[in-house]
Amino acid sequence: MLDQFLSNESRFGHLMTRLGILMAANLLFLLSCIPVVTAGAGLCALHHTLLKTLRGDGEINPFVQFWQGFKRNFRQATAAFLLLLALAVLLALEIFWCSQFTGPVALFRYGLYAIAIAALVLALYLFPTIAAFDAPLPRLLANSFAFAMKSPLTALCIVVTSVVPVMLTLAGGRYQPLYAFIWCMIGASGLAMLHASMLLRLFKPYLPRVDVCGEIIPEGMEDDFVTEEQPVRSDKATLEDMLRLGM
């Protein structure tokens, strides 16, 4: 009985495997953020690892997958991160400048708040989209916006689950050491796993089929592999969506 409970095939074994992947991916992501400029590539690598985990049976090497995702998406993710960072700095300066005035000028900051929220939503969708799809950066930006508009409720859930933990951590008071421990262990990877599970439902119709290890199945060999479950959609609907998303 105990051997079955502790085996890798048991529910407990699968849970421990997932937990180990989350902890390893979280550590690698934190290390990739130390130079700051590589944070975007690290975030893409984190989503690459967790999407592989969710699409397969979870038994992957997180170190290998993280490095593969980091190398493959480095240029696009770094460019996107620097653009978003420059936009964030510009918006912060503009909001501070508008707050120094009263009257009509001060009202401009509400427009800046709207731009900041749109940029946040775009950022939360962009890096998973870069990790999931191969396309030029302008097309990935457009696709990220299209995915966000496709399911506003999902976008709202992703924004709330991203902002609330950060706000709780900043206002944690005496619980800040506990929050810091959680962030160091599985904080970023846990949120990324939650977001990846929600986004995967939107991504699946446009992704190639994979085997139980999360690896892409060569074209024409689908019948020779055990694959993940794919959502059933009409060919016409899928084609129309792919054309609209530029895929």
Side-chain angles (χ1 to χ4, degrees):
M1 180 70 72
L2 182 61
D3 291 340
Q4 292 180 350
F5 178 74
L6 296 177
S7 70
N8 291 334
E9 302 302 322
S10 66
R11 291 186 177 180
F12 178 77
H14 282 294
L15 177 62
M16 291 296 101
T17 299
R18 288 287 177 95
L19 183 60
I21 291 173
L22 287 176
M23 293 174 66
N26 196 77
L27 173 62
L28 292 170
F29 170 69
L30 294 178
L31 291 175
S32 72
C33 290
I34 293 176
V36 180
V37 72
T38 59
L43 189 55
C44 274
L46 178 63
H47 282 286
H48 171 86
T49 304
L50 298 180
L51 285 170
K52 281 274 189 178
T53 303
L54 290 174
R55 298 194 76 199
D57 62 2
E59 296 182 5
I60 66 167
N61 186 325
F63 298 96
V64 172
Q65 294 299 332
F66 191 94
W67 179 239
Q68 288 180 354
F70 188 89
K71 289 191 300 180
R72 192 186 73 179
N73 301 303
F74 179 80
R75 294 179 63 182
Q76 287 186 322
T78 302
F81 175 74
L82 293 177
L83 286 173
L84 289 169
L85 182 61
L87 178 61
V89 172
L90 179 62
L91 286 172
L93 291 175
E94 290 290 338
I95 291 172
F96 174 77
W97 181 77
C98 287
S99 66
Q100 305 305 306
F101 294 87
T102 58
V105 176
L107 297 178
F108 278 107
R109 69 175 183 269
Y110 295 107
L112 296 173
Y113 290 148
I115 296 174
I117 293 173
L120 174 62
V121 174
L122 180 63
L124 292 172
Y125 273 75
L126 178 58
F127 294 104
T129 303
I130 294 175
F133 301 100
D134 291 322
L137 185 56
R139 181 176 294 176
L140 291 169
L141 285 165
N143 291 351
S144 301
F145 181 77
F147 281 126
M149 294 300 100
K150 190 176 181 67
S151 178
L153 181 59
T154 299
L156 178 62
C157 291
I158 290 176
V159 170
V160 170
T161 54
S162 299
V163 173
V164 170
V166 174
M167 294 180 63
L168 288 176
T169 301
L170 295 177
R174 60 175 179 170
Y175 295 107
Q176 279 189 338
L178 174 61
Y179 295 150
F181 174 77
I182 294 174
W183 281 110
C184 290
M185 296 299 291
I186 60 169
S189 61
L191 284 179
M193 176 71 86
L194 175 62
H195 297 165
S197 64
M198 290 188 282
L199 291 173
L200 194 55
R201 289 177 293 179
L202 300 174
F203 290 171
K204 266 187 178 182
Y206 317 105
L207 293 172
R209 301 188 72 181
V210 298
D211 59 22
V212 293
C213 296
E215 299 297 332
I216 296 175
I217 298 174
E219 187 176 354
M221 300 181 64
E222 289 85 353
D223 295 337
D224 299 332
F225 290 82
V226 178
T227 63
E228 63 173 350
E229 294 183 0
Q230 295 283 356
V232 178
R233 305 186 66 206
S234 69
D235 292 339
K236 182 178 179 181
T238 302
L239 180 59
E240 289 176 350
D241 279 350
M242 292 180 72
L243 290 174
R244 188 174 68 253
L245 294 171
M247 296 177 180

